mmCIF file of all heavy atoms in Angstrom:
data_model
loop_
_atom_site.group_PDB
_atom_site.id
_atom_site.type_symbol
_atom_site.label_atom_id
_atom_site.label_comp_id
_atom_site.label_asym_id
_atom_site.label_seq_id
_atom_site.Cartn_x
_atom_site.Cartn_y
_atom_site.Cartn_z
ATOM 1 N N GLY A 171 66.603 32.799 80.960
ATOM 2 C CA GLY A 171 66.057 33.008 79.608
ATOM 3 C C GLY A 171 65.002 32.009 79.279
ATOM 4 O O GLY A 171 64.809 30.988 79.993
ATOM 5 N N LEU A 172 64.292 32.259 78.162
ATOM 6 C CA LEU A 172 63.190 31.377 77.717
ATOM 7 C C LEU A 172 63.565 30.787 76.378
ATOM 8 O O LEU A 172 64.166 31.427 75.518
ATOM 9 C CB LEU A 172 61.888 32.201 77.563
ATOM 10 C CG LEU A 172 61.259 32.702 78.852
ATOM 11 C CD1 LEU A 172 60.265 33.801 78.542
ATOM 12 C CD2 LEU A 172 60.569 31.590 79.586
ATOM 13 N N THR A 173 63.152 29.552 76.147
ATOM 14 C CA THR A 173 63.260 28.928 74.848
ATOM 15 C C THR A 173 61.850 28.649 74.334
ATOM 16 O O THR A 173 60.988 28.118 75.052
ATOM 17 C CB THR A 173 64.030 27.601 74.909
ATOM 18 O OG1 THR A 173 65.396 27.868 75.263
ATOM 19 C CG2 THR A 173 64.021 26.878 73.558
ATOM 20 N N TYR A 174 61.610 29.043 73.089
ATOM 21 C CA TYR A 174 60.306 28.830 72.451
ATOM 22 C C TYR A 174 60.447 27.902 71.263
ATOM 23 O O TYR A 174 61.463 27.853 70.614
ATOM 24 C CB TYR A 174 59.778 30.176 71.895
ATOM 25 C CG TYR A 174 59.567 31.250 72.926
ATOM 26 C CD1 TYR A 174 60.602 32.193 73.187
ATOM 27 C CD2 TYR A 174 58.372 31.431 73.579
ATOM 28 C CE1 TYR A 174 60.405 33.219 74.114
ATOM 29 C CE2 TYR A 174 58.164 32.449 74.501
ATOM 30 C CZ TYR A 174 59.192 33.337 74.731
ATOM 31 O OH TYR A 174 59.014 34.365 75.664
ATOM 32 N N THR A 175 59.369 27.152 71.000
ATOM 33 C CA THR A 175 59.309 26.347 69.797
ATOM 34 C C THR A 175 57.938 26.564 69.172
ATOM 35 O O THR A 175 56.941 26.809 69.868
ATOM 36 C CB THR A 175 59.508 24.842 70.037
ATOM 37 O OG1 THR A 175 58.383 24.321 70.718
ATOM 38 C CG2 THR A 175 60.782 24.590 70.809
ATOM 39 N N PHE A 176 57.882 26.485 67.824
ATOM 40 C CA PHE A 176 56.588 26.394 67.154
ATOM 41 C C PHE A 176 56.736 25.632 65.878
ATOM 42 O O PHE A 176 57.818 25.618 65.250
ATOM 43 C CB PHE A 176 55.966 27.794 66.899
ATOM 44 C CG PHE A 176 56.661 28.634 65.900
ATOM 45 C CD1 PHE A 176 56.394 28.549 64.536
ATOM 46 C CD2 PHE A 176 57.667 29.510 66.294
ATOM 47 C CE1 PHE A 176 57.036 29.367 63.621
ATOM 48 C CE2 PHE A 176 58.347 30.321 65.377
ATOM 49 C CZ PHE A 176 58.022 30.256 64.049
ATOM 50 N N THR A 177 55.676 24.914 65.498
ATOM 51 C CA THR A 177 55.690 24.050 64.313
ATOM 52 C C THR A 177 54.841 24.666 63.228
ATOM 53 O O THR A 177 53.757 25.161 63.505
ATOM 54 C CB THR A 177 55.196 22.660 64.669
ATOM 55 O OG1 THR A 177 55.965 22.108 65.717
ATOM 56 C CG2 THR A 177 55.244 21.728 63.449
ATOM 57 N N THR A 178 55.349 24.652 61.994
ATOM 58 C CA THR A 178 54.620 25.244 60.895
ATOM 59 C C THR A 178 54.723 24.351 59.685
ATOM 60 O O THR A 178 55.745 23.663 59.436
ATOM 61 C CB THR A 178 55.130 26.652 60.562
ATOM 62 O OG1 THR A 178 54.409 27.174 59.431
ATOM 63 C CG2 THR A 178 56.623 26.644 60.170
ATOM 64 N N LEU A 179 53.656 24.285 58.872
ATOM 65 C CA LEU A 179 53.635 23.541 57.625
ATOM 66 C C LEU A 179 54.478 24.222 56.577
ATOM 67 O O LEU A 179 54.927 25.356 56.752
ATOM 68 C CB LEU A 179 52.198 23.374 57.140
ATOM 69 C CG LEU A 179 51.224 22.661 58.077
ATOM 70 C CD1 LEU A 179 49.797 22.759 57.538
ATOM 71 C CD2 LEU A 179 51.631 21.209 58.249
ATOM 72 N N SER A 180 54.670 23.541 55.432
ATOM 73 C CA SER A 180 55.423 24.173 54.352
ATOM 74 C C SER A 180 54.585 25.223 53.634
ATOM 75 O O SER A 180 55.061 26.282 53.227
ATOM 76 C CB SER A 180 55.917 23.134 53.358
ATOM 77 O OG SER A 180 54.835 22.412 52.813
ATOM 78 N N LYS A 181 53.267 24.944 53.466
ATOM 79 C CA LYS A 181 52.362 25.867 52.775
ATOM 80 C C LYS A 181 51.453 26.566 53.732
ATOM 81 O O LYS A 181 51.231 26.113 54.842
ATOM 82 C CB LYS A 181 51.525 25.094 51.722
ATOM 83 C CG LYS A 181 52.351 24.271 50.720
ATOM 84 C CD LYS A 181 53.230 25.148 49.829
ATOM 85 C CE LYS A 181 53.954 24.299 48.813
ATOM 86 N NZ LYS A 181 54.861 25.121 47.954
#
Side-chain angles (χ1 to χ4, degrees):
L172 292 163
T173 294
Y174 300 92
T175 70
F176 68 88
T177 303
T178 179
L179 299 172
S180 59
K181 304 297 183 182

